[in-house]
């Protein structure tokens, strides 16, 4: 396999330089299954595990490889296996908070150039969910493209597209029907060689159908959505990096029923750029947009130029981010404490002579 066609570039080679002098090579994580990884390498596909040193030094889940990562490896060609010694710095990283009460990061995809944010035009269409997804995508460092799928099931496609345009300022929007293979040609410019695209969206929006159409074969299983609420089952159960016939790389991901933000201050500002612009016109720089005089946001709400539901969602997401930041600061302190415990323990085992 040609590494450059897999997305290798100067960003990664700069970080890899010191490792190459030690005799290591590199690979890209295509699949993760528990503690085993499948890598794309110049030697072909290899099965790999992390080294004991990397496992010991890791303090958080994000320290381990994720699908899309470039990793430093030693290869055993005869066995078609490898050992992962390090994860190279990530050009982009799409994360969310893990499901549940724990304040931990779950990495969804790394080193992605474009994110296809897929929303169904059926009964599961939800503008507020699209806003939440957009925060995650902008924060990741990748570029969003909104895909409105299931146009064949929608009687007011134009109206719904216009509604999305109002909340996704400047973001490309593509309407298609994957099951009928209509409109998919509009995705081709984003799927060139060396480009990595991730599919993101809730269960049942058609990610697996789009993957199969672009790959030209049935890679992912497809199931019908439930009647009544148009919600789907998790037909994709793992993240996988797929090489397309066009040479582009496509990462399908499991549907996410719970979309909890991990970080997102910049993403929030980008997603709600209209509210940010209005806030800059308020009389007071610390305006809370409630009862303050000269509040441009409240004036926009009053004259209808700002949708009240959009504003309420912005406030809700801002509170969520503030709370999460406080929880992350507490967790960071605990992680730092654990790291120094490991250092001291290692020092006691191997004191200087």
């Amino acid at each position: 396999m040609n590494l450059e066609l897999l997305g290798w570039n100067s960003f990664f080679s700069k970080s890899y330089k010191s490792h190459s002098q030690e005799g290591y090579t590199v690979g890209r994580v295509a699949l993760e299954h528990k503690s085993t990884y499948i890598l794309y390498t110049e030697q072909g596909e290899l099965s790999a595990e992390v080294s004991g040193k990397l496992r010991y030094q890791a303090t958080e889940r994000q320290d381990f490889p994720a699908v899309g990562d470039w990793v430093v490896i030693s290869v055993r060609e005869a066995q078609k296996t490898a050992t992962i010694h390090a994860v190279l710095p990530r050009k982009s990283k799409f994360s969310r908070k893990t499901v549940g009460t724990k304040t931990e990061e779950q990495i969804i995809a790394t080193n992605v150039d474009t994110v296809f944010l897929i929303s169904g035009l059926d009964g599961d269409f939800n503008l507020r969910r699209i806003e939440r997804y957009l925060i995650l995508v902008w924060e990741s460092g990748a570029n969003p493209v909104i895909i409105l799928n299931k146009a064949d099931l929608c009687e007011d496609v134009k109206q719904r597209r216009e509604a999305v345009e109002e909340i996704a300022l400047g973001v490309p929007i593509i309407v298609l029907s994957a099951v009928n293979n209509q409109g998919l040609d509009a995705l081709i410019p984003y799927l060139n060689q060396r480009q990595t695209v991730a599919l993101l969206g809730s269960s049942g929006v058609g990610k697996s159908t789009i993957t199969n159409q672009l790959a030209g074969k049935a890679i992912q299983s497809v199931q019908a959505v439930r009647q009544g609420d148009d919600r789907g089952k998790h037909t994709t159960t793992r993240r996988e990096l797929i090489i397309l016939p066009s040479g582009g790389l496509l990462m399908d991901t499991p549907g996410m029923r719970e979309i909890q933000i991990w970080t997102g201050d910049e993403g929030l500002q980008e997603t709600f750029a209209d509210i940010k612009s209005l806030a800059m016109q308020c009389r007071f720089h610390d305006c809370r947009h409630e009862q303050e005089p000269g509040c441009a946001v409240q004036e926009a709400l009053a004259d209808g130029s700002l949708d009240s539901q959009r504003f309420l969602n912005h406030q809700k997401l801002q509170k969520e981010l503030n709370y999460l930041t406080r929880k992350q600061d507490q967790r960071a302190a605990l992680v730092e404490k654990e790291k120094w415990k490991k250092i001291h323990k290692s020092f006691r085992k191997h004191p200087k002579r």
Side-chain angles (χ1 to χ4, degrees):
M1 295 184 180
N2 185 311
L3 295 183
E4 290 188 359
L5 296 182
L6 295 173
W8 182 259
N9 57 36
S10 58
F11 176 88
F12 303 109
S13 61
K14 182 178 180 181
S15 303
Y16 166 64
K17 190 173 182 179
S18 61
H19 297 287
S20 64
Q21 295 171 354
E22 299 176 21
Y24 294 125
T25 184
V26 294
R28 193 169 189 194
V29 179
L31 183 66
E32 176 187 357
H33 181 66
K34 296 183 179 178
S35 59
T36 303
Y37 303 85
I38 300 299
L39 309 180
Y40 291 146
T41 74
E42 287 183 316
Q43 292 78 25
E45 291 188 15
L46 301 178
S47 175
E49 293 184 347
V50 299
S51 67
K53 182 178 180 181
L54 175 56
R55 188 179 301 278
Y56 177 77
Q57 292 179 337
T59 57
E60 296 185 90
R61 181 63 188 86
Q62 64 173 337
D63 296 329
F64 287 91
V67 175
D69 272 334
W70 283 97
V71 291
V72 177
I73 59 175
S74 56
V75 177
R76 295 175 293 279
E77 290 194 50
Q79 292 82 21
K80 285 290 183 180
T81 59
T83 298
I84 300 173
H85 299 277
V87 179
L88 293 180
R90 293 155 175 152
K91 182 175 66 173
S92 64
K93 180 181 68 170
F94 183 92
S95 298
R96 68 167 178 174
K97 178 186 171 296
T98 54
V99 176
T101 58
K102 288 186 177 181
T103 307
E104 294 182 355
E105 178 183 13
Q106 180 186 18
I107 298 177
I108 305 300
T110 68
N111 299 319
V112 171
D113 299 294
T114 304
V115 172
F116 285 169
L117 172 49
I118 304 171
S119 175
L121 284 169
D122 51 4
D124 197 37
F125 180 76
N126 188 314
L127 291 173
R128 306 288 79 86
R129 189 187 301 129
I130 293 174
E131 288 173 340
R132 181 176 284 265
Y133 266 120
L134 275 173
I135 292 175
L136 299 178
V137 177
W138 282 122
E139 196 70 21
S140 75
N143 294 314
V145 174
I146 295 176
I147 311 298
L148 299 179
N149 189 26
K150 304 186 180 182
D152 54 302
L153 301 179
C154 182
E155 296 181 355
D156 54 352
V157 173
K158 181 180 178 181
Q159 179 181 345
R160 289 196 165 179
R161 175 174 182 146
E162 290 175 349
V164 175
E165 288 175 345
E166 290 181 3
I167 67 164
L169 308 176
V171 177
I173 299 172
I174 297 173
V175 177
L176 54 81
S177 172
V179 71
N180 293 329
N181 200 14
Q182 295 177 349
L184 288 166
D185 288 347
L187 306 182
I188 294 176
Y190 301 98
L191 297 166
N192 295 323
Q193 290 183 339
R194 303 177 177 84
Q195 294 295 301
T196 301
V197 173
L199 303 183
L200 295 170
S202 303
S203 301
V205 297
K207 297 190 303 299
S208 295
T209 302
I210 292 173
T211 297
N212 293 340
Q213 296 282 23
L214 293 175
K217 58 183 177 180
I219 293 178
Q220 304 287 14
S221 61
V222 178
Q223 295 183 13
V225 298
R226 297 190 305 235
Q227 292 186 352
D229 62 0
D230 289 321
R231 302 300 290 272
K233 296 181 179 180
H234 294 290
T235 53
T236 302
T237 58
R238 61 188 184 184
R239 286 171 283 280
E240 182 176 1
L241 192 62
I242 301 164
I243 302 176
L244 299 175
S246 65
L249 296 136
L250 185 69
M251 193 183 301
D252 195 2
T253 64
M256 291 186 284
R257 296 272 175 84
E258 189 174 343
I259 319 162
Q260 294 200 41
I261 297 170
W262 176 248
T263 59
D265 188 59
E266 291 184 12
L268 184 77
Q269 301 302 323
E270 191 75 40
T271 301
F272 294 94
D274 53 338
I275 296 178
K276 178 184 177 182
S277 177
L278 285 170
M280 293 176 66
Q281 302 172 37
C282 291
R283 182 182 301 176
F284 305 108
H285 73 277
D286 57 349
C287 183
R288 298 179 64 183
H289 317 306
E290 294 175 353
Q291 303 296 328
E292 296 88 346
C295 176
V297 173
Q298 286 297 325
E299 290 176 6
L301 289 169
D303 64 25
S305 58
L306 174 61
D307 180 71
S308 61
Q309 292 301 312
R310 176 168 171 79
F311 175 67
L312 288 174
N313 197 39
H314 171 271
Q315 298 298 82
K316 174 185 175 182
L317 291 167
Q318 182 67 74
K319 289 179 181 178
E320 185 177 325
L321 279 170
N322 292 342
Y323 173 77
L324 186 58
T325 298
R326 292 194 299 271
K327 297 288 287 185
Q328 287 175 347
D329 289 343
Q330 295 170 7
R331 175 170 172 75
L334 292 174
V335 169
E336 185 70 11
K337 182 178 179 180
E338 185 63 27
K339 183 183 76 172
W340 283 105
K341 281 175 66 177
K342 283 187 176 183
I343 292 173
H344 291 150
K345 184 177 179 181
S346 177
F347 179 78
R348 287 195 299 269
K349 286 184 177 181
H350 308 284
K352 292 183 180 180
R353 295 182 179 177

